[in-house]
Amino acid sequence: MNYKRILTIQDISCVGQCSLTVALPVLSACGHETCVLPTALLSTHTGGFGKPVVVSLSDDLPEIVTHWKRNGITFDLVLTGYLGSIPAIRTAMQIIDTMLSPGGICIVDPAMADNGKLYSGFDGDYVREMKRLCGRADIILPNLTEAALLSGQPCQNRTDEAYARELLEALPNDRVILTGVGEEDTGLLLREVGEVMRYAHPRLPGSFSGTGDLFAAAFAGALAAENGSYESAQIAADFTYRCIQCTAEEPAHWYGVKFEPVLPELMRMLKQVES
């Protein structure tokens, strides 16, 4: 496996096991040099702790990028997650346009909506800028709500495969992994080179913050390790499923995904695929 330099651009929630506090250890466990660009600092994530302290870093991002360029820094893979502001989206586009190595990969998780609605503070302008960012991506990882918004389709209260396939057809990107697909089970649809493939697990009870961030990071790490898109999606889905199982065993761990004990399993999954 070639040693890759990955940049992940997203917020950092100091407590809550999501965003950068998930992406950094997962990508590192996959064997890659992992660089970070925090777009905002939150005291906790926004699910269940009350209103967090939020420090926007949007105004500082251009100077960081300028410093990197001055030092000739480039990246083999860029993964974006929750960006939080239009300036942060534009900074991500600038990095992709000017700092991605030849042959490099851009993966966009358009983290902006779920359960039929946009996250708090976002509007149509944010969606339009996210569409532009997704246009630069090699692979996008939307959930069903985000896929509807990106494709201009009505958001429906559905998770069935037929609806997911309709959304896939409406998205212009060549490579898409659509997550949260299924009623009796839950899984993903991957479209690549015109072919659509499905992968799913039994649906587990409960809802946990950070599962999308886990999946995106594990997928990016597996793909950077030179696995195919479908194999990488399988690894990421298996890892995320195991993390949810681990978390469900401890009811007091309601605020995030207990992923750290499962990292050795992710490393074994990658080695098995390589061998």
Side-chain angles (χ1 to χ4, degrees), residues 73-142:
I73 294 170
T74 58
F75 305 100
D76 300 303
L77 187 149
V78 174
L79 167 66
T80 73
Y82 182 93
L83 298 174
S85 70
I86 288 175
I89 294 177
R90 290 174 177 167
T91 296
M93 288 191 285
Q94 180 188 1
I95 289 171
I96 292 161
D97 290 345
T98 61
M99 302 183 72
L100 197 60
S101 300
I105 298 171
C106 172
I107 301 172
V108 172
D109 176 3
M112 62 178 175
D114 203 1
N115 298 316
K117 61 182 181 181
L118 283 166
Y119 293 150
S120 176
F122 294 166
D123 57 16
D125 290 338
Y126 192 89
V127 174
R128 281 188 286 275
E129 288 298 307
M130 184 59 72
K131 286 181 182 179
R132 293 181 60 209
L133 176 61
C134 287
R136 288 163 162 79
D138 296 289
I139 307 172
I140 62 171
L141 312 176

Side-chain angles (χ1 to χ4, degrees), residues 4 32 43 50 53 68-69 71 77 88 105 110 147 151-152 171-172 175 196 198 204 211 215 242 245 263 268 271:
K4 301 289 177 57
H32 307 296
S43 55
V53 176
W68 285 350
K69 288 182 176 180
N71 283 273
L77 187 149
I105 298 171
S151 61
L171 287 167
R175 298 165 76 188
V196 177
R198 181 146 197 263
L204 295 171
T211 52
F215 177 86
R242 282 289 299 120
Q245 284 183 314
L263 285 175
R268 286 193 292 272
K271 288 179 180 177

Side-chain angles (χ1 to χ4, degrees), residues 13 15-19 21-22 44-49 114 119 206-215 240 243-244 247 253-259:
S13 294
V15 173
Q17 292 173 300
C18 66
S19 57
T21 59
V22 164
T44 66
H45 65 58
T46 57
F49 289 104
D114 203 1
Y119 293 150
S207 178
F208 302 94
S209 297
T211 52
D213 301 328
L214 272 179
F215 177 86
T240 304
C243 292
I244 294 172
T247 309
H253 203 96
W254 56 268
Y255 50 85
V257 188
K258 192 177 175 182
F259 71 93

Side-chain angles (χ1 to χ4, degrees), residues 113 115-117 144-146 148-149 153-158 163:
N115 298 316
K117 61 182 181 181
L144 293 167
T145 301
E146 290 156 353
L149 290 167
Q153 303 298 305
C155 292
Q156 300 185 37
N157 186 25
R158 295 170 58 186
Y163 174 54

Side-chain angles (χ1 to χ4, degrees), residues 161 181-189 197-203 230 233-234 237-238 241:
E161 185 174 344
V181 178
E183 295 176 309
E184 300 301 320
D185 58 13
T186 184
L188 59 89
L189 285 180
M197 293 166 279
R198 181 146 197 263
Y199 190 69
H201 288 98
R203 183 177 292 276
Y230 187 67
Q234 284 182 306
D238 289 346
Y241 182 76

